[in-house]
Amino acid sequence: MCGIAGIINPGGERYRDHIGRMVAALKLRGPDGNGDFFSNNCALGHTRLKIIDISSGHQPMISDDRNLAVVFNGEIYNYKELRARLETNYRFRTNSDTEVILALFKNNRDNIPGKLAGMFSFAIWDEKSNKLFCARDRFGEKPFYYTFGKNGEFIFASEIKALLASGLVKPELSRESLA
């Protein structure tokens, strides 16, 4: 189990402390390491539980052309088969299922979740198009929560407590939803 977190809004670097608090809130999900990534409009964070490619599967993982960044929680059961098909179009640097997701996205963005057998939630930031692509498995085994912050930020994480830890979300009870 790993933890993912992100904030999408102009000035990604200014969210360094927010991402730090979010990742700290997810520490129990990934005690083996953590990392972050910042660009003009994106801040990503990750906590890692090492299962596949223990030595080189660190996240956020950046694509070979440095245009894409991914944070991933889960396990892709068919990653070896997918990798074998992608090796002619992508130069892999790791043996991780995370990098297979990056390669899929880079080579053909059509129905990526439908090609993945497993349990997952992930977010891919595309620096060139300035867009975020998020997905989770069809049964929701790996959680993906999101909200909007007080300054219009799109904020996501593996747990609600990480959203709250960002300091950008006011915890309010919706009486309408409660009813």
Side-chain angles (χ1 to χ4, degrees):
M1 170 169 62
C2 297
I4 65 174
I7 301 170
I8 307 302
N9 209 38
E13 183 69 37
R14 70 183 167 134
Y15 293 104
R16 185 171 290 279
D17 290 340
H18 303 279
I19 286 291
R21 289 191 300 270
M22 293 173 77
V23 168
L26 297 169
K27 183 71 175 166
L28 290 176
R29 297 184 68 85
D32 296 331
N34 60 62
D36 51 35
F37 166 85
F38 301 94
S39 73
N40 291 334
N41 297 308
C42 176
L44 299 176
H46 186 267
T47 60
R48 183 168 187 226
L49 178 63
K50 294 180 181 179
I51 296 174
I52 296 175
D53 196 7
I54 294 170
S55 62
S56 64
H58 307 289
Q59 295 185 47
M61 186 176 285
I62 312 302
S63 63
D64 58 351
D65 64 1
R66 315 245 355 119
N67 184 53
L68 305 172
V70 64
V71 286
F72 164 63
N73 172 28
E75 187 175 352
I76 306 303
Y77 307 136
N78 62 334
Y79 82 98
K80 289 181 181 178
E81 294 84 12
L82 292 169
R83 179 188 169 114
R85 284 188 246 149
L86 293 164
E87 284 180 330
T88 58
N89 296 324
Y90 186 92
R91 194 182 98 250
F92 285 89
R93 296 168 291 151
T94 73
N95 293 312
S96 72
D97 50 355
T98 306
E99 192 171 17
V100 168
I101 295 170
L102 271 179
L104 272 173
F105 190 83
K106 184 176 177 185
N107 286 294
N108 184 354
R109 299 178 185 200
D110 295 334
N111 191 25
I112 291 172
K115 295 174 184 167
L116 302 174
M119 52 184 177
F120 56 86
S121 66
F122 64 85
I124 299 175
W125 176 251
D126 184 332
E127 186 68 21
K128 187 182 279 184
S129 69
N130 205 36
K131 291 183 180 178
L132 181 73
F133 178 85
C134 307
R136 71 169 198 193
D137 63 86
R138 54 190 76 52
F139 296 111
E141 286 183 76
K142 294 299 178 182
F144 187 92
Y145 296 99
Y146 66 92
T147 190
F148 291 92
K150 57 187 172 186
N151 300 311
E153 301 94 345
F154 178 76
I155 307 166
F156 67 88
S158 296
E159 294 185 17
I160 293 172
K161 69 181 179 181
L163 298 176
L164 298 174
S166 73
L168 300 168
V169 179
K170 183 179 177 187
E172 293 181 14
L173 178 64
S174 167
R175 297 206 182 276
E176 182 179 322
S177 296
L178 187 61

